[in-house]
């Protein structure tokens, strides 16, 4: 029975934390001004970079 009580309390604790942090996250998103701009591409790197092209692709796919 001890394991059931511990599992139930951890679920309750998770729900309490989730209920209090969701409004805080919404306020943080709402107070952020403007939109982030993509950086200029560094052609020396071979990794995927954050450019206007990649942002346009992500916007069109809507991940």
């Amino acid at each position: 029975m001890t394991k059931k009580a511990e599992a139930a309390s951890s679920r309750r604790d998770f729900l309490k934390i989730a209920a209090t942090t969701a409004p805080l996250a919404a306020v943080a998103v709402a107070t952020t001004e403007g939109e982030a701009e993509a950086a200029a591409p560094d052609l020396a790197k071979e990794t995927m970079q954050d450019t206007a092209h990649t942002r346009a692709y992500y916007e069109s796919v809507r991940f």
Side-chain angles (χ1 to χ4, degrees), residues 20-40:
T20 57
T21 56
L24 294 175
V27 168
V29 170
T31 58
T32 320
E33 291 186 24
E35 191 172 317
E37 294 182 17

Side-chain angles (χ1 to χ4, degrees), residues 1 8 15-16 19 23 31 33-34 36 48 56:
M1 283 199 173
L15 292 174
K16 287 178 188 176
T31 58
E33 291 186 24
M48 185 170 176

Side-chain angles (χ1 to χ4, degrees), residues 4-5 10 19 25 28 30 33-34 37 42-43 61-62:
K4 286 185 179 181
S10 67
E33 291 186 24
E37 294 182 17
D42 183 12
L43 300 177
V61 178
R62 296 183 189 228

Side-chain angles (χ1 to χ4, degrees), residues 8-59:
S9 67
S10 67
R11 287 184 201 134
R12 286 186 191 123
D13 291 338
F14 171 74
L15 292 174
K16 287 178 188 176
I17 292 171
T20 57
T21 56
L24 294 175
V27 168
V29 170
T31 58
T32 320
E33 291 186 24
E35 191 172 317
E37 294 182 17
D42 183 12
L43 300 177
K45 294 182 179 178
E46 293 184 12
T47 60
M48 185 170 176
Q49 300 175 17
D50 183 23
T51 62
H53 176 72
T54 55
R55 288 199 180 209
Y57 173 74
Y58 287 140
E59 292 249 345

